[in-house]
Amino acid sequence: MNPNHTTLGLSTDCATCHTTDADWMPATFAIHDDFYALNGAHAAIANDCATCHNGDYNNTPNTCVGCHQTDFDSTTDPDHSAAGFSTDCATCHSETASSTFDHDNLYFPIYSGEHDGEWSDCVDCHTNPNNFAEFTCTSCHTNPETDIATRTPKRQRTYRRGITTKVQPVWRVTRQVPTFDHDNTNFPLAGEHIGVACLDCHADGFAGTSTACVDCHQMDFDGAMNPNHTTLGLSTDCATCHTTDADWMPATFAIDFYALNGRQLRMIVQHVTTILQQYTKFVTKQTLTAPHPDHSAAGFSTDCATCQ
């Protein structure tokens, strides 16, 4: 029963694992890889069964932390527990002595370039220890350093909203214009996307960021009620109907729900024309009769939205 031969479906050819010596020992288990592959550091202890099994061959955990909880808890460079790292060791480690977590090449260069030696702990950037997918730059980089221009499609320079400093941005002072031009990527920035903080889109890092509208605008799609995008089963490819201009307008609706042909189309055109005419008359009347102040005498625009 240790291990349970029947449950594991082991061969009934006892000689596959056993000798005829006392207690049928020693025994071998050449098919171990069929249950748990022994590679790297695990292969080195393949003959020391007790290290992992401790005499119990039925309930041995097959998760990393099941054997390496002590290693995880005692690691201080960096402190895995305090940093909230995953207990799935394979996320960063191979089965050799080396770590496969290459921060510089996979995510962001912190051991090379300008960031080398400029930070002391992971939480300097990853301020939420429960989620290392989140990070911030502004814990170290504050104005005027962060007052850096972004390029528009016309190569004009605009600055992020809310910045009140009058200090010249770094690129103007040093003449080292930022070399990263988003317009040269497969996602040029236009309309409402211009001036958006990088982390609003790249919260999980800069590599592999999706260019699909819905991956950033799922909440906008779900919350749209006029019309209800979900009920109508509209495409989550926002560009089907929307532009990236202010408020994502104007929007088009080229898909078919009710064909507008012949008489229906003429009726709609006539109806809209009538409404516009009535609205114009109403606005003109209100403009001419409004006494506080006298809109007509003041020469105010008949476009009420100018003031309303």
Side-chain angles (χ1 to χ4, degrees), residues 186-199:
N186 61 352
F187 195 89
L189 299 180
E192 291 282 15
H193 289 131
I194 297 173
V196 174
C198 303
L199 297 187

Side-chain angles (χ1 to χ4, degrees), residues 228-278:
N228 189 311
H229 288 34
T230 304
T231 301
L232 290 179
L234 300 184
S235 170
T236 53
D237 180 5
C238 308
T240 303
C241 301
H242 296 275
T243 68
T244 58
D245 292 338
D247 295 324
W248 315 108
M249 298 295 285
T252 59
F253 199 67
I255 54 180
D256 296 330
F257 281 87
Y258 185 86
L260 299 176
N261 301 313
R263 185 182 179 191
Q264 290 97 338
L265 183 58
R266 290 195 299 273
M267 289 176 62
I268 290 174
V269 172
Q270 181 179 359
H271 179 62
V272 172
T273 301
T274 301
I275 291 176
L276 290 176
Q277 290 173 343
Q278 292 175 346

